[in-house]
Amino acid sequence: MKNIITVLLLVLTVSPLLGQDYQAGVASKSYQLIGNDTIFPTKSIYENIKNTTQFTVITQIFELTNAQEEIDKLGMVTVFLPTDAAFAAYDEKALKKLLSASNAEALKAALMRHVIIGRVDQNSLQRNLQQNGGSAYFRSPADIDPEFKSGGSQIQLRIPNAAAATITGTNYYHKLGFIHVVDAFLLEE
């Protein structure tokens, strides 16, 4: 009987400590930084990028196309977001034309090529690439499923007739999945 009481006391003492340890781990991941921009796991993609310094162009695309509403309908998603540097190849006039209301449908289609269904972190992506000889596809809500290719330490996101985007930052949480950072916008030429 004494052994049973000792075991019960031990379980009652250790259980709350394990729970606190788990909670402490969650609290330590309350936000992440992309450069100087803060990304919160409790916010949507748009809520995370709308006040950033390096995602101003993609924020405009989200606003112009109402993309967050469409993405929310998908459930868990992983998105590959280009920074403003990805749009540096456009001069001011070309960028203004790209971001015009008359171009909203094409922009939405291009943006959705940066979205894949499900939560895919960097390790899952690399494992899939290794299992498939350096090339992998994931289901996208877009008209084209993007192809992922590995080459050395880099992973690229590709679609036909567009410049490849290299993944430059990974594993930033949003409330329904992951954000990865890329250096190009997949817009068909």
Side-chain angles (χ1 to χ4, degrees):
M1 183 70 163
K2 189 175 183 180
N3 287 340
I4 293 174
I5 291 174
T6 303
V7 169
L8 282 173
L9 286 174
L10 183 62
V11 168
L12 291 173
T13 304
V14 172
S15 294
L17 294 175
L18 292 175
Q20 288 175 356
D21 208 20
Y22 173 75
Q23 289 300 325
V26 170
S28 68
K29 285 288 190 183
S30 60
Y31 69 91
Q32 296 170 288
L33 294 175
I34 300 176
N36 293 325
D37 298 321
T38 306
I39 304 298
F40 295 94
T42 56
K43 293 184 176 184
S44 71
I45 299 160
Y46 175 73
E47 290 169 332
N48 270 306
I49 65 171
K50 69 180 177 181
N51 295 316
T52 63
T53 58
Q54 59 187 327
F55 294 105
T56 60
V57 176
I58 202 72
T59 297
Q60 290 175 48
I61 293 172
F62 265 77
E63 291 167 350
L64 183 64
T65 63
N66 202 20
Q68 186 63 55
E69 185 177 306
E70 180 122 356
I71 290 170
D72 286 345
K73 292 176 189 176
L74 299 171
M76 295 290 186
V77 296
T78 299
V79 65
F80 297 83
L81 291 180
T83 62
D84 289 350
F87 297 93
Y90 294 94
D91 63 30
E92 189 176 325
K93 187 177 177 181
L95 188 59
K96 187 174 181 176
K97 182 179 177 185
L98 178 72
L99 298 174
S100 69
S102 63
N103 202 26
E105 286 305 312
L107 280 173
K108 186 179 228 176
L111 177 60
M112 296 311 275
R113 293 178 190 131
H114 292 79
V115 178
I116 58 175
I117 307 299
R119 293 177 58 140
V120 180
D121 67 358
Q122 179 185 13
N123 291 333
S124 299
L125 183 57
Q126 286 178 327
R127 197 170 34 256
N128 202 304
L129 286 164
Q130 288 171 350
Q131 292 171 352
N132 294 300
S135 183
Y137 290 89
F138 290 88
R139 197 171 127 243
S140 171
D143 55 344
I144 302 169
D145 289 335
E147 176 186 19
F148 294 85
K149 295 283 278 180
S150 63
S153 62
Q154 294 186 333
I155 299 173
Q156 289 189 327
L157 177 64
R158 298 177 177 188
I159 63 164
N161 304 319
T166 301
I167 298 173
T168 61
T170 61
N171 295 347
Y172 300 98
Y173 297 95
H174 65 88
K175 74 177 181 178
L176 293 175
F178 287 100
I179 295 171
H180 302 294
V181 180
V182 294
D183 66 355
F185 186 57
L186 301 177
L187 186 62
E188 292 176 303
E189 297 170 359

